[in-house]
Every structure is written in C-alpha cells, then in structure tokens.
Amino acid sequence: MSETVMHEAVTEPDEVQALRADVYRLLARLLREAPDAELLTWLGDLEVEDEASPLAASWRELVEASRGSRPETLAREHFRHLVGVIQGDVIPYASWYRDGELMDQALVALRRDLKALGIERDEQTRDPEDHLAALCETMALLIEAGSPAEARFFMTHLAPWAPACLTDLAGVESAFYSGLGRLGRAFIDREEALLAREAAQEPVRLVEP
C-alpha cells in the first residue's frame, strides 16, 4: 500500500482497485495477528488525506494509535480481544454472528462458494474460513483477479455481519484495536455502498446461509 492514503477522486481506476485490495489485506493481517515493529512503524508513518470523511478520520486514529503502541503490548491485547483462552472479547467468525454458534451454516455456505470460485483454504491456517481475516483475504484475491463474483461475495458473506463485528471491536478498551474496529467499519460501509448496486445486477449466484 502507498504511504499516503489516497483520495479516490484523484486516483486512477486500477490504482483504486489495488488500494482496495491492499486495505483488505491490511485488515486481514491486523485481525489475524498483532503487528510487529516493522508494521507499526509503517502504520505510524502513513500520511492521510486531510478530509472529513469517516474513513479518513479512522485512518488518522489508527495512525496515531500506532505511534504510541508497542508490539508486545499489542500482542497481549490482540489475544485478549480477538483470541482468548476460550474466546476473546470479539469472536470474528461469520457463523457466530449469523448463527449464534461456531462452525455453523454460514461456514457451510461459505465453503460451497469458495469451492465454486476455486479458492482453497491454506492448510497452515488454523482458523475456519469464516474468520473475518480470511474473508478479507478472499476479497483481496477477488479484486486482484477482477472476478465478476466480487460484489455478490461481499454482499452474501461480509455485509450481513462484518459491520456488527467491527463495531464490537471498536468498543474494546485498547486504543489500537478500537481504532482498527472503526477503520474496518468505515471501510466496510464504503464497500457496501460501492458494491450493493453491482451485486443486485450480478449474474453469479452464491449460496445463501
């Protein structure tokens, strides 16, 4: 991702798509594990466009939180908020938010659609495919591939629950992870506004949980 969070109005279409994929990958990285010192430094050095949008404001908040954070502290906070001994403060799985149980119907439907799209689970990853990080990684893959299923996948497997999950994350005590929750929520809200109309016209049918 560029060291400047760019405004779409002055960004070429291909660059917009690349930036969207980069943001999905960044969200996935930060949801899956705590940032190391290199990533924290990179985040702290980001330059954010001076605009009043919720997305820009949330970028500035995360940048500021990154500058005041230490990797070892964030590792403990990541475990407390997103992992836990049994479960963290936030349980970032589609099945949990949509079905009230882990490994439930939302995961079954997702696996069918991933198989149809030719996307396989990384065997080195312990998390089920409906972890929010995995879904963000899938969106990055679909964007980079120019897949016609991108909008429908988002509306089927992310839009119904990701905003609530990220709002819950925004409510935790950690400045960094609450900032991550607000950034994720602002980004997903913008994505939904972008993709909802496209999904309504999309001929590709995905499985509803």
Side-chain angles (χ1 to χ4, degrees):
M1 187 186 300
S2 168
E3 291 190 359
T4 301
V5 180
M6 301 187 71
H7 193 290
E8 287 191 9
V10 295
T11 307
E12 294 298 323
D14 287 349
E15 292 177 337
V16 171
Q17 296 298 88
L19 183 57
R20 289 177 60 225
D22 281 348
V23 175
Y24 274 115
R25 290 195 187 282
L26 176 64
L27 291 175
R29 168 70 172 78
L30 295 175
L31 288 164
R32 196 178 292 284
E33 60 184 344
D36 56 19
E38 182 179 2
L39 182 53
L40 267 181
T41 298
W42 182 86
L43 284 167
D45 288 341
L46 281 176
E47 298 176 7
V48 183
E49 291 292 330
D50 185 17
E51 58 175 271
S53 72
L55 186 58
S58 61
W59 271 115
R60 286 191 288 270
E61 181 180 352
L62 187 63
V63 167
E64 186 61 31
S66 299
R67 292 171 180 167
S69 297
R70 297 167 58 89
E72 54 271 27
T73 301
L74 293 186
R76 291 192 296 269
E77 292 178 348
H78 180 272
F79 183 83
R80 183 169 75 250
H81 299 317
L82 290 162
V83 183
V85 175
I86 298 177
Q87 62 188 40
D89 298 329
V90 179
I91 306 173
Y93 295 92
S95 291
W96 182 263
Y97 275 86
R98 303 189 72 176
D99 306 315
E101 299 284 347
L102 294 174
M103 308 285 286
D104 213 313
Q105 290 303 308
L107 177 59
V108 173
L110 172 63
R111 283 175 170 169
R112 291 173 186 162
D113 285 342
L114 291 175
K115 183 177 181 179
L117 291 168
I119 298 175
E120 297 182 357
R121 179 173 178 266
D122 186 346
E123 293 301 325
Q124 296 181 343
T125 301
R126 294 176 296 176
D127 296 318
E129 296 90 327
D130 64 338
H131 191 291
L132 183 53
L135 290 170
C136 287
E137 289 165 349
T138 300
M139 281 299 299
L141 288 173
L142 294 174
I143 291 168
E144 289 167 348
S147 171
E150 172 200 332
R152 180 65 69 180
F153 184 90
F154 176 90
M155 297 304 299
T156 301
H157 296 295
L158 273 163
W161 72 280
C165 177
L166 291 162
T167 296
D168 288 345
L169 185 59
V172 302
E173 294 180 0
S174 161
F176 183 88
Y177 283 99
S178 64
L180 176 61
R182 277 185 278 278
L183 172 63
R185 177 61 195 265
F187 178 70
I188 291 296
D189 285 349
R190 192 188 66 169
E191 285 288 284
E192 185 167 1
L194 175 70
L195 297 172
R197 181 176 299 179
E198 182 179 338
Q201 302 171 350
E202 177 58 63
V204 177
R205 293 183 62 82
L206 297 177
V207 179
E208 292 287 349

